Amino acid sequence: MVSTAKLEFRDLSIRYGSETALEGVNLSIKPNEIFGIIGPANSGKTSFLRSINRMDEMTTGMKVGGSVLLDGTDVRAWRNVFALRSRIGVVFPLPVGLPMTIRQNVTMAPRMKGIKNKAVLEELVERCLRRAALWDEVKDRLDSLGSMLSGGQQQRLTIARALSQEPDILLLDEFSIAVDPVTTMRIEDVLKELKEEMTIVLVTNLVQQARRLADRTAFFLNGKCIEIGETEDLFTSDSRDPLTRDYVEGRFG
Amino acid sequence: MVKKQKIESGALAQSVNRAWVFDRVAKGIVFIGGISAIVFIISIFIFIFDQGMGFIAEDLKPGEFFGSEIWRPTSESNPTYGILALIAGTASITGLAMLVSVPFSLGAAVFISEFATGRVKEGLKVLIELLAAIPSVVWGFIGLSIMNPLIVQLFDVPIGLNMLNAGIILGLMAAPIMTTIAEDALKAVPDGYREAAEAMGATRWQVIRRVVLPSARNGLGAAILLGVGRAFGETMAVLMASGHAINLPTSPFDSVRALTATIAAELGETARGSTHYEALFTIGIFLLLITLCINLLADLVIRGGWKRRKL
């Protein structure tokens, strides 16, 4: 079990100053699964994601305890944090089309790695945009500004950008907040395909989204991981924690 | 019961009324404040053009004015009004000042906005604002008493009051304001951009180079232009540090004379209404027009960015 885990969290705790955001989380995420995390606001979901690619190092005051293992190695043991981050794609809640052209948005990560060959980059732009279900809408204006796109398009651009890193792991933090339902569905379809190639951690405040997508789901509440299980069990089993049942059935949160 | 209600609604009407009056008065005061800037600007234009117009209409020979390096307004037999050397002086000093201040201030702005945190950041900002508040005569004094012997010693030249001295002093003077404006431009770049780029594995330098600087481009351009405007219009420090000698410079160690310094040094000694007096005002008109162009350009640079972003 331990050897097959893509990501493993051992006694993970996260503090902001004196405030505890997350405590005593132990869980492991298997390769090529979509792992859902649900829970109300302030339950520590986003902090959890930030601990994976060491984004805590950008946030002053955020302290991570315990350990996060990626392929069995503590992420903190990576000397080159930039190489670590380049293996992990991140999609933020609000779409961030960087203020450059659509093409430049998608080629930024490979260019930072030193890929300069035009043909390779062109091919990559098309592949990533196709996989993010955006190609048809933007193929004629790749050189217009990415920040000009609509919210839903920008979010798909963000996904294309994350894919251009050719990541092992894709972290999605409430990606559908600023996206219309139709686009959300299209992105969800994309994610189902992508899990063939990568491990996906999906933080969502839409419990039904977790149910549609996730293989396994964890329920976070007030900085604690209440329960982890097969998604279907979490939604239907009688043996689940009463807090989980109340939450997924919409009685609070 | 009925009566009480009436009183209440009356009081209500009155209080609304008072707020309304206050609103109108406040609006009027703010309007006067706003309009006064325009009135002042127009008055200044009229005054300066009025004073300089006599020269432009009667004595101005454009070829001589802009083409001759001989500025000899007090000559009895053959007064000559050529400002080419003065233009060269101002341009060379301003150019040198930009060479000094652009790298310094952009570097400082990037450091404050992207690297410094907490007390270092706050401390630096306060210090830089303090630097901007140093009176120009103090800078001139530094040029005269510190830079002058230093340049003589270092470069083994006969005189240290020259283009190099004035350029460096002006560069140091323009740097704080450029830093402040450039830092504002960098601060306006959303943190989400930085975070997104860092999450992709960008190093600090890559984030700055590929994301922050390009998106702050317009603001940085405006900062540089306003710095140019500051250096261009500076008078006292230049007067003290440049050597104030009419000269078409061929090396940084030549003494030069600036347009502004010429006005400052000579205006007090001319007879009001004389040709010399009017010629100085014509230089003033020229300065005003150029400053106006620089400011308009800075405005356009900022606006150009808006347009592109909206399209």
Side-chain angles (χ1 to χ4, degrees):
Chain A
M1 182 67 207
V2 170
S3 59
T4 62
K6 185 76 193 171
L7 279 168
E8 197 182 345
F9 301 84
R10 288 188 189 153
D11 195 28
L12 180 73
S13 68
I14 296 170
R15 266 175 206 71
Y16 294 95
S18 60
E19 218 164 295
T20 302
L22 204 61
E23 200 162 29
V25 173
N26 286 290
L27 59 84
S28 62
I29 296 172
K30 295 177 210 156
N32 299 88
E33 78 172 335
I34 298 185
F35 190 87
I37 297 172
I38 57 172
N42 246 331
S43 55
K45 309 185 298 277
T46 298
S47 301
F48 176 80
L49 278 193
R50 294 177 77 91
S51 70
I52 300 174
N53 69 348
R54 284 167 62 182
M55 272 196 278
D56 52 303
E57 285 162 24
M58 318 174 195
T59 316
T60 42
M62 179 170 165
K63 289 264 178 313
V64 178
S67 54
V68 181
L69 307 183
L70 169 63
D71 290 329
T73 313
D74 194 320
V75 293
R76 239 144 276 275
W78 286 65
R79 220 210 216 143
N80 183 348
V81 64
F82 310 113
L84 170 75
R85 286 184 189 146
S86 70
R87 284 183 59 188
I88 302 172
V90 185
V91 177
F92 293 96
L94 296 174
V96 186
L98 290 174
M100 41 178 100
T101 68
I102 294 171
R103 192 195 307 277
Q104 285 167 340
N105 260 283
V106 183
T107 56
M108 182 173 163
R111 276 185 293 134
M112 286 192 306
K113 280 185 203 155
I115 298 174
K116 289 207 181 85
N117 187 318
K118 272 245 168 78
V120 173
L121 290 175
E122 279 306 291
E123 189 273 328
L124 187 118
V125 167
E126 177 166 351
R127 180 158 43 94
C128 293
L129 286 172
R130 271 191 196 286
R131 286 163 84 197
L134 187 61
W135 175 254
D136 290 332
E137 288 162 57
V138 300
K139 64 182 176 207
D140 300 322
R141 46 175 174 146
L142 290 176
D143 289 313
S144 60
L145 274 184
S147 39
M148 290 301 127
L149 294 171
S150 77
Q153 289 173 327
Q154 279 197 47
Q155 194 61 307
R156 279 177 283 158
L157 178 61
T158 315
I159 292 175
R161 206 171 57 207
L163 294 179
S164 74
Q165 296 170 234
E166 302 187 324
D168 295 354
I169 298 173
L170 185 60
L171 308 178
L172 296 127
D173 188 1
E174 300 182 356
F175 73 87
S176 53
I177 269 185
V179 179
D180 66 276
V182 177
T183 309
T184 302
M185 284 312 181
R186 293 181 68 179
I187 297 176
E188 288 187 9
D189 290 339
V190 170
L191 295 179
K192 283 180 209 157
E193 286 169 28
L194 283 176
K195 78 172 193 175
E196 305 297 324
E197 296 158 53
M198 59 193 74
T199 308
I200 297 174
V201 184
L202 171 76
V203 163
T204 178
N205 48 4
L206 306 171
V207 290
Q208 290 308 322
Q209 186 170 59
R211 190 172 189 178
R212 285 193 297 267
L213 288 175
D215 299 300
R216 292 190 305 144
T217 299
F219 172 53
F220 281 24
L221 179 66
N222 295 332
K224 291 207 171 58
C225 178
I226 304 291
E227 194 166 5
I228 308 163
E230 298 293 323
T231 302
E232 228 17 64
D233 288 349
L234 218 62
F235 280 87
T236 54
S237 157
D238 292 329
S239 59
R240 62 198 154 145
D241 194 288
L243 283 170
T244 313
R245 191 182 58 220
D246 285 355
Y247 184 70
V248 298
E249 288 172 7
R251 252 167 262 151
F252 77 94
Chain B
M1 190 63 193
V2 172
K3 202 177 175 190
K4 197 182 171 196
Q5 231 175 11
K6 232 182 194 170
I7 291 169
E8 270 176 2
S9 72
L12 192 69
Q14 205 180 23
S15 84
V16 166
N17 218 11
R18 203 184 297 146
W20 182 84
V21 167
F22 188 81
D23 182 68
R24 293 311 288 265
V25 171
K27 212 176 186 178
I29 293 173
V30 173
F31 176 76
I32 291 169
I35 209 81
S36 65
I38 301 173
V39 171
F40 286 139
I41 284 281
I42 292 176
S43 316
I44 289 171
F45 263 77
I46 292 174
F47 171 71
I48 292 186
F49 272 91
D50 178 55
Q51 298 290 313
M53 226 38 213
F55 179 80
I56 293 176
E58 290 160 31
D59 306 277
L60 178 72
K61 293 166 230 151
E64 181 195 286
F65 192 66
F66 292 109
S68 160
E69 74 269 25
I70 297 164
W71 175 260
R72 213 179 315 153
T74 48
S75 161
E76 294 277 336
S77 54
N78 182 25
T80 317
Y81 304 96
I83 63 167
L84 186 64
L86 309 182
I87 294 176
T90 290
S92 61
I93 295 170
T94 306
L96 198 63
M98 287 304 112
L99 283 184
V100 173
S101 64
V102 168
F104 261 121
S105 49
L106 291 193
V110 167
F111 179 74
I112 293 174
S113 150
E114 307 299 315
F115 291 96
T117 51
R119 258 186 231 161
V120 176
K121 185 176 190 149
E122 292 314 309
L124 268 176
K125 283 170 83 165
V126 170
L127 272 180
I128 283 171
E129 268 154 36
L130 213 68
L131 213 57
I134 294 179
S136 66
V137 68
V138 174
W139 284 110
F141 183 74
I142 292 171
L144 209 59
S145 62
I146 298 176
M147 296 284 293
N148 180 17
L150 204 66
I151 289 173
V152 170
Q153 237 174 31
L154 278 179
F155 299 101
D156 195 27
V157 286
I159 187 160
L161 296 174
N162 50 29
M163 183 174 136
L164 180 71
N165 189 336
I168 291 173
I169 288 290
L170 260 192
L172 295 178
M173 281 183 74
I177 187 151
M178 284 168 73
T179 306
T180 307
I181 297 171
E183 203 256 328
D184 281 344
L186 295 176
K187 203 166 54 187
V189 176
D191 275 338
Y193 289 176
R194 295 186 181 86
E195 206 175 61
E198 286 195 29
M200 287 163 77
T203 61
R204 285 298 261 297
W205 169 242
Q206 285 169 328
V207 173
I208 293 166
R209 161 79 184 66
R210 291 176 193 267
V211 177
V212 177
L213 290 183
S215 45
R217 192 180 45 212
N218 298 312
L220 296 178
I224 291 174
L225 278 174
L226 289 172
V228 171
R230 172 94 170 89
F232 186 82
E234 174 49 40
T235 305
M236 186 47 80
V238 175
L239 176 60
M240 291 166 80
S242 66
H244 203 56
I246 295 169
N247 209 345
L248 272 182
T250 51
S251 97
F253 301 109
D254 286 347
S255 292
V256 289
R257 193 199 263 210
L259 291 161
T260 48
T262 304
I263 299 178
E266 295 180 4
L267 193 62
E269 315 200 339
T270 57
R272 196 185 161 96
S274 68
T275 312
H276 184 189
Y277 176 91
E278 285 176 347
L280 289 176
F281 267 94
T282 306
I283 294 179
I285 294 172
F286 181 61
L287 277 172
L288 198 65
L289 289 179
I290 288 187
T291 317
L292 204 71
C293 285
I294 292 173
N295 279 335
L296 279 178
L297 204 64
D299 225 39
L300 274 178
V301 165
I302 294 176
R303 253 168 244 241
W306 282 351
K307 233 184 233 162
R308 213 170 307 141
R309 237 170 260 169
K310 264 182 203 153
L311 272 174

